[in-house]
């Protein structure tokens, strides 16, 4: 999976600010820590397989989809939907090791 990293990605004191766009340009993951703004903008004709990859990328970076009661997706324009993300709980491990 190939992604383009947007301009202005910086690990400044307030956190990260940047955009990551899927190779086909249909889905954009936006991270703006200082503004507490984490979301995915997806064109309505995006491929579900690419969305799964973007959600995996978001999860690897510590984000998950907001619960339904926290925030609903919204239309940015006639062809783009915005899905809001939230930081994952720190206690939730990404992988679980099970002894055999």
């Amino acid at each position: 999976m190939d992604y383009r990293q947007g301009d202005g990605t910086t690990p400044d004191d307030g956190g990260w600010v940047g955009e990551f766009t899927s190779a086909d340009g249909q889905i954009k993951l936006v991270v703006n820590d200082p503004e507490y703004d984490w979301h995915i903008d997806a064109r309505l004709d995006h491929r579900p397989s690419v969305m799964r990859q973007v959600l995996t990328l978001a999860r690897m970076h510590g984000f998950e989809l907001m619960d339904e009661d926290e925030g609903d997706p919204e239309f940015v324009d006639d062809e783009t939907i915005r899905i809001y993300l939230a930081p994952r709980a720190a206690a939730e491990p990404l992988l679980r090791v099970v002894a055999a």
Side-chain angles (χ1 to χ4, degrees), residues 48-95:
S49 61
V50 175
M51 178 59 82
R52 283 191 297 275
Q53 293 172 338
V54 171
L55 290 171
T56 298
L57 178 66
R59 185 161 177 76
M60 288 173 39
H61 287 280
F63 299 100
E64 63 187 4
L65 294 174
M66 281 189 160
D67 291 334
E68 291 178 11
D69 59 336
E70 292 179 313
D72 292 328
E74 62 185 36
F75 282 95
V76 176
D77 56 38
D78 289 343
E79 297 183 14
T80 306
I81 191 166
R82 178 164 292 165
I83 305 164
Y84 289 98
L85 303 169
R88 276 195 349 258
E92 183 181 340
L94 188 57
L95 298 173

Side-chain angles (χ1 to χ4, degrees), residues 3-99:
Y3 285 91
R4 294 189 309 273
Q5 185 170 326
D7 295 333
T9 303
T10 58
D12 60 16
D13 292 339
W16 284 92
V17 175
E19 296 178 353
F20 303 87
T21 304
S22 62
D24 62 5
Q26 298 295 305
I27 303 175
K28 180 170 50 172
L29 170 62
V30 177
V31 176
N32 188 335
D33 287 342
E35 297 293 324
Y36 298 98
D37 181 20
W38 310 286
H39 63 268
I40 294 171
D41 285 341
R43 307 273 300 169
L44 295 179
D45 59 346
H46 71 274
R47 292 190 325 231
S49 61
V50 175
M51 178 59 82
R52 283 191 297 275
Q53 293 172 338
V54 171
L55 290 171
T56 298
L57 178 66
R59 185 161 177 76
M60 288 173 39
H61 287 280
F63 299 100
E64 63 187 4
L65 294 174
M66 281 189 160
D67 291 334
E68 291 178 11
D69 59 336
E70 292 179 313
D72 292 328
E74 62 185 36
F75 282 95
V76 176
D77 56 38
D78 289 343
E79 297 183 14
T80 306
I81 191 166
R82 178 164 292 165
I83 305 164
Y84 289 98
L85 303 169
R88 276 195 349 258
E92 183 181 340
L94 188 57
L95 298 173
R96 183 168 42 156
V97 179
V98 178

